[in-house]
Amino acid sequence: MSTLVSLITAAVTFGTVLMYGTLGEILTEKSGNLNLGVEGIMYMGGAFGLAGAFYYEKAAGAAASGPAAIILAILCAFAAGAFASAIYSFLTITLRTNQNVTGLALSIFGTGVGQFAGEFMRLSEGGYVALSNHLKDAFSASIWPQALINAPVLGNILFSHTVFFYLAVVLAVLMFLFFRKTRYGMYLTAVGESPSTSDAAGINITRYKYLATIIGGGISAIGGMVYIMTTAGCVWNHEGLSGVGWLAVALVIFCMWRPLNAIWGSVLFGAMMIMYLRVSLPFIPTEIYKILPYVVTVIVLIITSMRNSRDKQPPASLGMNYFREER
Amino acid sequence: MSEEKKTPFIRLARRSAMDRRRMWIIRVSSIVFALILGFIPILLTGSNPLEAYGVIIQGSLSRPVYIRQTVKIAIPLLGCALAIAPCFKMKFWNIGAEGQITMGAVAATYFALYWYDRVPHVMLLVIMALTGAAAGGLWALIPAFFKAKWNTNETLFTLMMNYIAIGIVAWLQGGPWEGRKGSQLIPMFNDAARLPDVLGVHCGWIMVLILVVLMHIYMTKTKQGYEIAVIGDSANTARYAGMNVGYIIMRTMFISGAISGFVGFMIVSGANYTLYSGVANGVGFTSITVAWLSQLNSFAMIFISMMLAVLQKGANTLQTRMDVPASISSIITGILLFCMLSCEFFINYRLIFRKRQDTEAAE
């Protein structure tokens, strides 16, 4: 029982990282932009989020407060991701470059910038960038009172997570409401499905694509920050972060571009990624666990294309640029 | 008056054609512009950018030893870019080269580990090359089959296949092929399974250059190359002309995967002499940008892949000499890619600024 509980909590911790990456990419892809730069974006989010919290503590000294550091880290990560996605948006939307190639270029650029920033901080601070324990605790502490966490069985599963998890869930619900209940969400979906129709209907395609991609990139970047600040223990660790962005891209497919699916989907993927540490089955090698998420995603991809049901498809214009002049 | 208000400040028009000289001026200046933008991160570390670029060139080209190492980096980039070209020409977005390289390397490694004492040297290398190519091709055939049959999204499919391939190697590394127990390493290849050197670099460079010519001929002079071009322009046109689009997609992907698999063979047999999960090391992704920036032109790929290799090799020297993190090469590569990607826009489109006079705007 306790193994299961600890598995679930660990899955949620890693799943939270994925959830941000995925939610951001869902928003981006809904506008028809396939941003393959998530890997780079999350690197940048991780490095700059850490930088934000670290330099804040350096400036504030012992007076540094946990909530302020968390907010700053989120803002820094968001800004870094938004900046990276702004480059992507400008190239693909305004300059009409190929989305796949631009996304990969952004991955190269972003991982470079993230690593550069991480290394640079380490060098300029003389070897070690780490937050004080009291701030570290602020990042990994639960927001609920101890009494709730101690509640039997459900306490740990529901209440022991960091603030980032609950924020991500709220974000997923908000995004769901945005797509389903608001005019702007509907417009955005329309843009992703058929830019030319939306254009004819008088929707400002360029604005929707830009906003969705930039905000989406910012959200994805928060995932990188969450990884560094919780799982990696507030130290720059590029090895652990590598591959997370691609996993988020996979998860978007698995979730069928629906924000609510991202909540359980990312916890499930999180479980698959960490299961080998917690539960060992004698006849399945650990490395095979780790490819499970990708295999599952491929199967989902194949099944949806075979069934060809209309409501479970990628946005129709995904990956294609829209040129009004070339209609 | 109200008419004029509706004219946007900048309008775009497709250029019919630009003369080659101006085209090259734009391309070269985009590279220069990118290198200047690259000053920013170098300045941040407190180093002199010009000196840093000097070190990069020095560290990659100033001595035969360095040139050899640079070429060694460029070989897989070039080979893989050649593999990607036909797919992208067909508008089949194969971003699975990373996995295809890895699977090619796996097949080659199998024979290197278990057959080295059974067949003569050259024979062994030929077997490794052929099985590597076959493995890469078959790995690529999986997404192609589903694309042809059910129109499954190939971008996402090929992307996922990368990580499955890498995971398989990670498993082999710690499991069945592990050398010393607990080392998590596959043993080094026997000498019989290593590619011989020519002029100090493994002979893969000759094979890649031959591939450049072959790919050029294949794409421009053969019927199959023509079919690929037609599908790229319009799959429906191809269908109406009686081409079996599904079959051509699968054939092209097999060829592409086979070349990537061959590259995988060259990496394990010529450079690493062993197999590990990071064997492709991002080459599959970087080579996509190489292929695209070369406009899928085989000969231009030589230049672009060398340029990226120089940056990568030079940045390592930069790290040891000037304490600039080597990740600077990824940043500059990224900036280069951004600038070179965008410059095509200015070659293909003309910006028309709103004029004061209405009459002028109608030019």
Side-chain angles (χ1 to χ4, degrees), chain A residues 36 94-98 100-101 104 108 112 116 120 246 250 253 285 287 291 294 298 301-302 305-306 326, chain B residues 12 14 41 44-45 93 95 146 150 152 155-157 160 163 167 170-171 288 292 327 330-331 341-342 345 349:
Chain A
L36 292 180
T94 304
L95 299 183
R96 303 167 182 194
T97 57
N98 180 293
N100 297 310
V101 181
L104 291 172
I108 295 172
F116 186 85
F120 179 66
W246 297 115
I253 308 162
E287 295 300 337
I291 61 174
Y294 303 107
V298 162
L301 202 57
I302 293 172
S305 68
M306 275 161 83
E326 285 171 12
Chain B
L12 300 171
R14 213 167 216 302
L44 280 177
T45 61
W93 308 114
I95 49 178
F146 286 101
W150 287 291
T152 311
T155 318
L156 305 171
F157 201 141
M160 296 306 115
Y163 293 96
W171 165 64
I288 290 171
W292 191 255
S327 38
S330 301
I331 299 181
L341 282 168
S342 342
F345 172 81
Y349 294 92

Side-chain angles (χ1 to χ4, degrees), chain A residues 103-272:
Chain A
L104 291 172
L106 181 59
S107 264
I108 295 172
F109 177 76
T111 46
V113 171
Q115 227 158 300
F116 186 85
E119 279 286 295
F120 179 66
M121 276 195 296
R122 200 174 55 78
L123 287 177
S124 63
E125 295 303 323
Y128 201 60
V129 177
L131 296 187
S132 66
N133 286 335
H134 123 89
L135 276 194
K136 262 188 210 169
D137 291 344
F139 275 96
S140 48
S142 167
I143 49 171
W144 305 100
Q146 194 61 37
L148 271 176
I149 302 172
N150 288 344
V153 193
L154 282 181
N156 251 318
I157 295 178
L158 289 181
F159 300 115
S160 68
H161 313 300
T162 62
V163 58
F164 301 112
F165 171 71
Y166 302 103
L167 273 180
V169 173
V170 170
L171 187 64
V173 174
L174 283 180
M175 270 174 66
F176 167 77
L177 294 176
F178 173 72
F179 285 127
R180 282 296 169 83
K181 304 282 178 208
T182 70
R183 191 151 43 109
Y184 300 113
M186 303 265 186
Y187 283 175
L188 181 61
T189 311
V191 168
E193 292 297 336
S194 171
S196 54
T197 315
S198 321
D199 197 12
I203 300 173
N204 188 340
I205 307 275
T206 317
R207 183 188 300 162
Y208 274 88
K209 281 194 163 224
Y210 260 101
L211 277 178
T213 311
I214 291 177
I215 296 175
I219 295 173
S220 294
I222 295 175
M225 184 274 290
V226 172
Y227 179 84
I228 294 293
M229 301 315 264
T230 58
T231 311
C234 299
V235 179
W236 175 244
N237 172 0
H238 69 270
E239 267 151 23
L241 200 50
S242 81
V244 175
W246 297 115
L247 203 57
V249 176
L251 197 47
V252 174
I253 308 162
F254 182 80
C255 301
M256 291 284 112
W257 293 267
R258 294 189 182 162
L260 289 187
N261 288 356
I263 300 176
W264 62 268
S266 50
V267 174
L268 181 71
F269 270 42
M272 285 194 254

Side-chain angles (χ1 to χ4, degrees), chain B residues 327-349:
Chain B
S327 38
I328 189 87
S329 84
S330 301
I331 299 181
I332 299 180
T333 305
I335 296 176
L336 257 176
L337 298 174
F338 289 146
C339 290
M340 291 172 73
L341 282 168
S342 342
C343 88
E344 293 307 314
F345 172 81
F346 296 98
I347 290 172
N348 290 325
Y349 294 92

